[in-house]
């Protein structure tokens, strides 16, 4: 009887372990689960949006990219930032486009006052060909809930 109970416990334990392993193998990675998500319902009609462009000086493409990539995590980590994308032109490396959405201009202005943003702007005279070209936009179309 004791042996039968032990066999049953081992069998049940193996089933639980196999089930857990199977779920772990098919579950999305922790990185994917923690990735920020765009919540369109949280973007107010008329939200403050910025589309900006900066071009690297010839030979400074890698340096500008290295200085700019850390902004992704920093800006997306700002609770006032609703959307942030950094993009690089495939045909012209070193040509970057930023797409940012904040609920208001005040939120965007607070973002620009952050030390990491100021530090990035301070590097641009050495790395960028000209300044940052900025289009200040209003987000149109309130998403349906």
């Amino acid at each position: 009887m004791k042996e039968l109970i032990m066999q049953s416990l081992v069998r049940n334990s193996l089933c639980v372990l196999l089930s857990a392993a199977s779920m772990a193998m098919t579950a999305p990675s922790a990185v994917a689960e923690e990735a920020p998500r765009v919540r369109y319902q949280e973007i107010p009609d008329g939200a403050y949006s910025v589309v900006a462009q900066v071009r690297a000086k010839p030979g400074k493409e890698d340096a500008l990219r290295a200085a700019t990539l850390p902004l992704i995590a920093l800006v997306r980590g700002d609770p006032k930032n609703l959307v942030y994308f950094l993009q690089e032109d495939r045909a012209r490396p070193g040509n970057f486009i930023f797409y940012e959405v904040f609920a208001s201009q005040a939120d965007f202005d607070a973002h620009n006052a952050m030390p990491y943003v100021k530090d990035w702007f301070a590097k641009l005279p050495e790395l960028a060909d000209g300044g940052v070209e900025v289009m200040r936009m209003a987000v149109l179309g309130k998403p349906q809930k």
Side-chain angles (χ1 to χ4, degrees), residues 94-127:
N95 186 23
F96 298 94
I97 301 290
F98 300 79
Y99 180 71
E100 307 177 42
V101 178
F102 293 84
S104 67
Q105 183 174 352
D107 288 349
F108 177 72
D109 292 342
H111 156 72
N112 275 345
M114 298 297 288
Y116 63 87
V117 175
K118 289 181 175 185
D119 290 344
W120 181 79
F121 273 106
K123 296 173 185 174
L124 290 186
E126 176 189 333
L127 303 175

Coordinates of all heavy atoms in Angstrom, one line a residue, residues 94-127:
G94 N 22.1 57.0 -39.3 CA 22.4 58.2 -38.7 C 21.3 59.3 -38.8 O 21.4 60.4 -38.2
N95 N 20.3 59.0 -39.5 CA 19.1 59.9 -39.7 C 18.0 59.3 -38.8 O 17.4 58.3 -39.1 CB 18.7 60.0 -41.1 CG 17.6 61.0 -41.3 OD1 17.4 62.0 -40.5 ND2 16.8 60.9 -42.4
F96 N 17.7 60.0 -37.7 CA 16.8 59.5 -36.7 C 15.5 60.3 -36.7 O 15.5 61.6 -36.8 CB 17.4 59.6 -35.3 CG 18.6 58.7 -35.2 CD1 19.9 59.2 -35.4 CD2 18.5 57.4 -34.9 CE1 21.0 58.5 -35.3 CE2 19.6 56.6 -34.8 CZ 20.9 57.1 -35.0
I97 N 14.4 59.6 -36.5 CA 13.1 60.3 -36.3 C 12.5 59.8 -35.0 O 12.5 58.7 -34.6 CB 12.1 59.8 -37.4 CG1 12.6 60.2 -38.8 CG2 10.7 60.4 -37.2 CD1 12.6 61.7 -39.2
F98 N 12.0 60.8 -34.2 CA 11.4 60.5 -32.9 C 9.9 60.8 -33.0 O 9.5 61.7 -33.7 CB 11.9 61.5 -31.9 CG 13.4 61.5 -31.7 CD1 14.3 62.1 -32.5 CD2 13.9 60.9 -30.6 CE1 15.7 62.1 -32.3 CE2 15.3 60.8 -30.3 CZ 16.2 61.5 -31.2
Y99 N 9.1 59.9 -32.4 CA 7.7 60.1 -32.4 C 7.3 60.0 -30.9 O 7.6 59.0 -30.3 CB 7.0 59.1 -33.2 CG 5.5 59.3 -33.1 CD1 4.8 60.3 -33.7 CD2 4.7 58.4 -32.4 CE1 3.5 60.5 -33.7 CE2 3.3 58.6 -32.3 CZ 2.7 59.6 -33.0 OH 1.4 59.8 -32.9
E100 N 6.8 61.1 -30.3 CA 6.5 61.1 -28.9 C 5.1 61.7 -28.7 O 4.7 62.6 -29.4 CB 7.5 62.0 -28.2 CG 8.9 61.7 -28.4 CD 9.9 62.7 -27.8 OE1 9.7 63.0 -26.6 OE2 10.9 63.0 -28.4
V101 N 4.4 61.1 -27.7 CA 3.1 61.6 -27.4 C 3.0 61.8 -25.9 O 3.3 60.9 -25.1 CB 1.9 60.7 -27.8 CG1 0.6 61.2 -27.4 CG2 2.0 60.4 -29.3
F102 N 2.5 63.0 -25.5 CA 2.3 63.4 -24.1 C 0.8 63.9 -24.0 O 0.3 64.4 -25.0 CB 3.2 64.4 -23.6 CG 4.7 63.9 -23.6 CD1 5.5 63.9 -24.7 CD2 5.2 63.4 -22.4 CE1 6.8 63.4 -24.6 CE2 6.5 63.0 -22.3 CZ 7.3 63.0 -23.4
A103 N 0.2 63.8 -22.9 CA -1.2 64.3 -22.7 C -1.3 65.8 -23.0 O -2.3 66.3 -23.5 CB -1.7 63.9 -21.3
S104 N -0.2 66.5 -22.6 CA -0.3 68.0 -22.7 C 1.1 68.5 -23.0 O 2.1 67.9 -22.9 CB -0.8 68.6 -21.4 OG 0.2 68.4 -20.4
Q105 N 1.1 69.8 -23.5 CA 2.4 70.5 -23.7 C 3.2 70.6 -22.4 O 4.4 70.5 -22.4 CB 2.2 71.8 -24.3 CG 3.5 72.5 -24.6 CD 3.4 73.8 -25.4 OE1 2.3 74.2 -25.8 NE2 4.5 74.5 -25.5
A106 N 2.5 70.8 -21.3 CA 3.1 70.9 -20.0 C 3.9 69.6 -19.7 O 5.0 69.7 -19.2 CB 2.1 71.2 -18.9
D107 N 3.3 68.5 -20.0 CA 4.0 67.2 -19.8 C 5.2 67.1 -20.7 O 6.3 66.6 -20.2 CB 3.0 66.0 -20.0 CG 2.0 65.9 -19.0 OD1 2.1 66.5 -17.9 OD2 1.0 65.1 -19.2
F108 N 5.1 67.5 -21.9 CA 6.2 67.5 -22.8 C 7.3 68.4 -22.3 O 8.5 68.1 -22.4 CB 5.8 67.9 -24.2 CG 6.9 67.9 -25.2 CD1 7.6 66.8 -25.6 CD2 7.4 69.1 -25.7 CE1 8.6 66.8 -26.5 CE2 8.5 69.2 -26.6 CZ 9.1 68.0 -27.0
D109 N 7.0 69.6 -21.9 CA 7.9 70.6 -21.4 C 8.7 70.0 -20.2 O 9.9 70.2 -20.0 CB 7.3 71.9 -21.0 CG 6.8 72.7 -22.3 OD1 7.2 72.3 -23.4 OD2 5.9 73.6 -22.1
A110 N 7.9 69.3 -19.3 CA 8.6 68.7 -18.1 C 9.5 67.6 -18.6 O 10.6 67.4 -18.0 CB 7.5 68.1 -17.2
H111 N 9.2 66.9 -19.6 CA 10.1 65.9 -20.2 C 11.4 66.5 -20.7 O 12.5 66.0 -20.4 CB 9.3 65.2 -21.3 CG 10.2 64.5 -22.3 ND1 11.0 63.4 -22.1 CD2 10.5 64.9 -23.6 CE1 11.7 63.1 -23.2 NE2 11.4 64.0 -24.1
N112 N 11.3 67.6 -21.4 CA 12.4 68.3 -21.9 C 13.3 68.9 -20.8 O 14.5 69.1 -21.0 CB 12.0 69.4 -22.9 CG 11.9 68.8 -24.3 OD1 12.3 67.7 -24.6 ND2 11.2 69.6 -25.1
A113 N 12.8 69.1 -19.6 CA 13.5 69.6 -18.5 C 14.3 68.5 -17.7 O 15.1 68.8 -16.8 CB 12.6 70.3 -17.5
M114 N 14.0 67.2 -18.1 CA 14.7 66.1 -17.4 C 16.2 66.2 -17.7 O 16.6 66.5 -18.8 CB 14.1 64.8 -17.9 CG 12.6 64.6 -17.6 SD 12.3 64.6 -15.8 CE 12.9 63.0 -15.3
P115 N 17.0 65.8 -16.7 CA 18.5 65.9 -16.9 C 19.0 65.0 -18.0 O 19.9 65.5 -18.8 CB 19.0 65.4 -15.5 CG 18.0 65.6 -14.5 CD 16.7 65.5 -15.3
Y116 N 18.4 63.9 -18.2 CA 18.9 63.0 -19.3 C 18.6 63.6 -20.7 O 19.4 63.4 -21.7 CB 18.4 61.6 -19.2 CG 16.9 61.4 -19.3 CD1 16.3 61.3 -20.6 CD2 16.1 61.4 -18.2 CE1 14.9 61.1 -20.7 CE2 14.7 61.2 -18.3 CZ 14.1 61.1 -19.5 OH 12.7 60.9 -19.6
V117 N 17.5 64.4 -20.8 CA 17.2 65.0 -22.1 C 18.1 66.2 -22.3 O 18.7 66.4 -23.4 CB 15.7 65.5 -22.1 CG1 15.4 66.3 -23.4 CG2 14.8 64.3 -22.0
K118 N 18.4 67.0 -21.3 CA 19.3 68.1 -21.3 C 20.7 67.6 -21.7 O 21.4 68.2 -22.5 CB 19.4 68.9 -20.0 CG 18.1 69.7 -19.8 CD 18.2 70.4 -18.5 CE 17.0 71.3 -18.3 NZ 17.2 72.2 -17.1
D119 N 21.1 66.5 -21.1 CA 22.5 65.9 -21.4 C 22.5 65.5 -22.9 O 23.6 65.7 -23.5 CB 22.7 64.7 -20.5 CG 23.0 65.0 -19.1 OD1 23.2 66.2 -18.8 OD2 22.9 64.1 -18.2
W120 N 21.5 64.9 -23.4 CA 21.4 64.5 -24.8 C 21.6 65.7 -25.7 O 22.4 65.7 -26.6 CB 20.2 63.7 -25.1 CG 20.1 63.2 -26.5 CD1 20.7 62.1 -27.0 CD2 19.4 63.8 -27.6 NE1 20.4 62.0 -28.4 CE2 19.6 63.0 -28.7 CE3 18.5 64.9 -27.7 CZ2 19.0 63.3 -30.0 CZ3 17.9 65.2 -28.9 CH2 18.2 64.4 -30.0
F121 N 20.8 66.7 -25.4 CA 20.9 67.9 -26.2 C 22.3 68.6 -26.2 O 22.8 69.1 -27.2 CB 19.8 69.0 -25.8 CG 18.5 68.8 -26.5 CD1 17.4 68.3 -25.8 CD2 18.3 69.1 -27.8 CE1 16.2 68.1 -26.4 CE2 17.1 69.0 -28.4 CZ 16.0 68.5 -27.7
A122 N 22.9 68.5 -25.0 CA 24.3 69.0 -24.9 C 25.3 68.3 -25.8 O 26.3 68.9 -26.2 CB 24.7 69.0 -23.5
K123 N 25.0 67.1 -26.2 CA 25.9 66.3 -27.0 C 25.7 66.6 -28.5 O 26.6 66.3 -29.3 CB 25.7 64.8 -26.8 CG 26.1 64.3 -25.4 CD 25.7 62.9 -25.2 CE 26.0 62.5 -23.7 NZ 25.5 61.1 -23.4
L124 N 24.6 67.2 -28.9 CA 24.3 67.4 -30.3 C 25.2 68.2 -31.1 O 25.5 67.9 -32.2 CB 22.8 67.9 -30.4 CG 21.8 66.8 -30.1 CD1 20.4 67.4 -30.4 CD2 22.0 65.5 -30.7
P125 N 25.8 69.3 -30.5 CA 26.7 70.1 -31.3 C 27.8 69.3 -31.9 O 28.3 69.6 -33.0 CB 27.1 71.2 -30.4 CG 26.0 71.4 -29.4 CD 25.5 70.0 -29.2
E126 N 28.3 68.4 -31.2 CA 29.4 67.5 -31.6 C 29.0 66.4 -32.6 O 29.7 66.1 -33.5 CB 30.1 66.9 -30.4 CG 31.2 66.0 -30.8 CD 31.7 65.2 -29.6 OE1 31.6 65.7 -28.4 OE2 32.2 64.1 -29.8
L127 N 27.7 65.9 -32.4 CA 27.3 64.7 -33.1 C 26.3 65.0 -34.3 O 26.3 64.2 -35.2 CB 26.6 63.8 -32.1 CG 27.5 63.3 -30.9 CD1 26.6 62.5 -30.0 CD2 28.7 62.6 -31.4

